[in-house]
């Protein structure tokens, strides 16, 4: 079974530039998550999709971050414009999305994209 | 607000030593509890989880964790660690009220051969 794919693996940009990350979840997984992991911290949930609908985006800085999951499969996360404090690893995870509330689902993580903002 | 505390940020042990990593959470209602692990150069992966039943949960690679509701704790244990257990360990909680998963800051474990 193929895992969660993310690209690019690394990205270096200057502040005020824009950047986009891509995620392809495990086939058949209904739930997709984007996390931000700043050095020395645990992953922080930015947005959660159930199929192509947003379940939770309460921690997404909506003035600069946006995400979409067209057709309920792949997803993109965009930052425009980037700030120095956005330097982090951006993790994508997926889960089957069938385990009720609160979810007991196991999340399957991708390798992450390491973003450096100069 | 819901929070997760991992007491130790960096732990160094020798092989064959016993391990216990602490995890406490702040929410008093129904919760699901997870430990995830990230080995060097690898993705985050599930080590074990608790959602109901026996509060002593066994996971992969000889790890176990005990849910003590009265202490709001879910400590991870292993009786005898190996060099290959060197990794970063994250405790995570999600609560019935909002179904939002919260991760702790992680504990970096280094096993000396």
């Amino acid at each position: 079974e193929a895992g969660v794919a993310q690209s690019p693996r690394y990205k270096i940009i200057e502040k005020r530039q824009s950047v986009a990350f891509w995620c392809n979840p495990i086939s058949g997984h209904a739930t997709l998550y984007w996390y931000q992991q700043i050095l020395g911290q645990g992953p922080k949930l930015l947005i959660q999709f159930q199929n192509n609908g947003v379940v939770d985006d309460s921690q997404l800085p909506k003035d600069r971050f946006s995400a979409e999951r067209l057709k309920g499969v792949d997803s993109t996360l965009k930052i425009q414009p980037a700030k120095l404090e956005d330097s982090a690893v951006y993790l994508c995870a997926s889960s089957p999305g069938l385990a009720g509330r609160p979810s007991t689902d196991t999340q399957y993580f991708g390798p992450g994209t390491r973003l450096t903002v100069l | 607000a819901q929070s997760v505390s991992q007491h130790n940020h960096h732990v160094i042990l020798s092989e064959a030593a016993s391990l216990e990593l602490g995890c406490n959470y702040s929410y008093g209602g129904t919760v699901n509890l997870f430990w995830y692990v990230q080995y060097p150069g690898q993705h985050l992966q599930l080590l074990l989880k608790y959602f109901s039943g026996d509060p002593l949960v066994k996971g992969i690679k000889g790890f176990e964790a005990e849910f003590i509701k009265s202490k709001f704790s879910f400590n991870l244990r292993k009786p005898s660690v190996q060099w290959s257990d060197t990794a970063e360990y994250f405790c995570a909680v999600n609560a019935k009220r909002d179904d939002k998963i919260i991760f702790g800051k992680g504990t970096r474990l280094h096993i000396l051969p």
Side-chain angles (χ1 to χ4, degrees), chain A residues 35 37 40-43 56 58 91 101-107 109-111, chain B residues 32 34 36 43-44 46 49 51 90 94-96 98-101 103-105:
Chain A
Y35 291 90
Q37 186 176 15
Q41 310 259 334
D56 182 356
S58 57
L91 296 168
R101 292 177 64 91
S103 176
T104 61
D105 271 356
T106 296
Q107 293 188 29
F109 285 83
Chain B
N32 294 327
F34 306 80
Y36 281 85
H43 309 176
L44 265 169
L46 183 74
K49 63 183 178 182
F51 52 95
F90 294 92
N94 71 344
K96 184 176 183 179
D98 57 15
D99 202 17
K100 181 187 304 183
I101 192 162
F103 281 79
K105 291 187 175 182

Side-chain angles (χ1 to χ4, degrees), chain B residues 22-39:
Chain B
C23 174
N24 285 89
Y25 61 94
S26 63
Y27 183 63
T30 301
V31 293
N32 294 327
L33 301 154
F34 306 80
W35 276 97
Y36 281 85
V37 60
Q38 187 166 24
Y39 297 103

Side-chain angles (χ1 to χ4, degrees), chain B residues 5-27:
Chain B
S5 296
Q6 291 186 242
H7 314 302
N8 310 101
H9 297 299
H10 199 174
V11 173
I12 302 174
L13 295 172
S14 297
E15 273 193 311
S18 64
L19 170 72
E20 182 162 3
L21 301 182
C23 174
N24 285 89
Y25 61 94
S26 63
Y27 183 63

Side-chain angles (χ1 to χ4, degrees), chain A residues 1-6 23-27 29 92 94 108-111, chain B residues 43:
Chain A
E1 177 183 74
V4 176
Q6 289 187 246
C23 173
N24 185 18
I26 291 173
S27 177
H29 279 192
C92 179
S94 70
Y108 296 85
F109 285 83
Chain B
H43 309 176

Side-chain angles (χ1 to χ4, degrees), chain B residues 37 39 42 45 47 59-63 78 80 82 84-85:
Chain B
V37 60
Y39 297 103
Q42 296 188 26
Q45 60 184 282
L47 199 55
I60 60 171
K61 302 187 181 185
F63 285 90
K78 185 171 184 178
S80 177
Q82 301 172 303
S84 58
D85 294 325

